[in-house]
Amino acid sequence: MKFLYVYHGEKYRSEALGSAKSLLLQHSSADITVICPAGQELALEHVKHINIEATSNNNGFRYKIFGICKFIEDEFIYLDTDTTIINKPIGLFEANNLAGLAGVPEPLLCSFNAIQSLVRPNTWKQSTLPEINTGVISINRRLLPKDFLEQWIRFHDQLISVNCKFTNGSVPDQPSLLAAIIHNKITPFTLVRLTIFEPAILKFSMSRS
């Protein structure tokens, strides 16, 4: 299985190094690719790197979505840099074969105003789909609409254009993903989060939403 990290900045490089080491401890044959600016690569053997520079117009969560879009593999698991793997991620492997998109649902809709700005109210109200936590997502392009990931970044750019930000000043990536899900009328495969700490510690079982 292929795994992807996307980051820019020394803080996130350091986090990714620890996360990748924990992944390799649990899954020694993990095929890991990192997308980051030149000079911020991981000093780990067998990890592949793709260099994409961060710019004033392509940073933060947009850089993350952009990196996911640019990754050419059909099937992969994206991991945030603060993720620590504590067991072999079997559930993620299985989910990857079952659905185009799989992840852990958020217990509450965290970005009500952002969703309203992206999706027509009637469409949003009729949807029972949760926001997906984008810290760990399984992606199978073969089972997704052709330009689904590109739609995600287009919706994110709409949020940027209306200056929709969290209190920390960042433009969130979860509402734009939910907007793409609703727009394409797809149903993600949901993973039940059994153990999550901060930084995130993963242990998954699966359920069908």
Side-chain angles (χ1 to χ4, degrees), residues 3 5 7 12-34 41-47 79-89:
F3 293 84
Y5 293 95
Y7 63 82
Y12 299 107
R13 189 205 69 81
S14 179
E15 288 183 353
L17 181 61
S19 179
K21 286 180 177 179
S22 76
L23 173 58
L24 290 168
L25 281 174
Q26 299 296 332
H27 185 42
S28 59
S29 61
D31 185 343
I32 301 174
T33 298
V34 168
E41 296 87 352
L42 299 184
L44 281 178
E45 199 173 356
H46 307 308
V47 172
L79 298 173
D80 265 357
T81 58
D82 63 352
T83 304
T84 301
I85 311 299
I86 61 171
N87 64 342
K88 194 168 183 176

Side-chain angles (χ1 to χ4, degrees), residues 126-138:
Q126 291 170 7
S127 172
T128 59
L129 295 171
E131 281 190 19
I132 297 296
N133 186 304
T134 57
V136 179
I137 46 178
S138 172

Side-chain angles (χ1 to χ4, degrees), residues 49-79:
H49 293 87
I50 300 171
N51 293 134
I52 297 177
E53 295 306 309
T55 67
S56 59
N57 295 320
N58 189 32
N59 55 42
F61 286 119
R62 192 188 192 283
Y63 184 88
K64 165 182 167 178
I65 305 170
F66 184 78
I68 292 172
C69 288
K70 289 298 182 183
F71 193 48
I72 63 172
E73 299 294 340
D74 287 328
E75 301 175 27
F76 61 97
I77 294 166
Y78 167 82
L79 298 173

Side-chain angles (χ1 to χ4, degrees), residues 187-206:
T187 302
F189 195 97
T190 58
L191 297 161
V192 178
R193 178 166 48 189
L194 298 182
T195 307
I196 289 284
F197 290 29
E198 188 61 41
I201 299 176
L202 302 183
K203 188 175 182 181
F204 287 110
S205 67
M206 296 190 301

Side-chain angles (χ1 to χ4, degrees), residues 139-190:
I139 293 170
N140 187 335
R141 290 179 184 271
R142 295 188 182 94
L143 302 178
L144 286 172
K146 184 177 180 180
D147 63 344
F148 175 81
L149 296 177
E150 288 70 22
Q151 287 181 7
W152 181 11
I153 200 166
R154 286 199 294 271
F155 279 124
H156 188 75
D157 284 342
Q158 287 182 39
L159 290 183
I160 293 174
S161 70
V162 297
N163 202 33
C164 180
K165 295 181 178 180
F166 283 146
T167 54
N168 66 4
S170 64
V171 177
D173 60 341
Q174 291 179 185
S176 50
L177 177 60
L178 179 56
I181 289 169
I182 294 172
H183 180 77
N184 285 278
K185 299 179 180 179
I186 70 169
T187 302
F189 195 97
T190 58

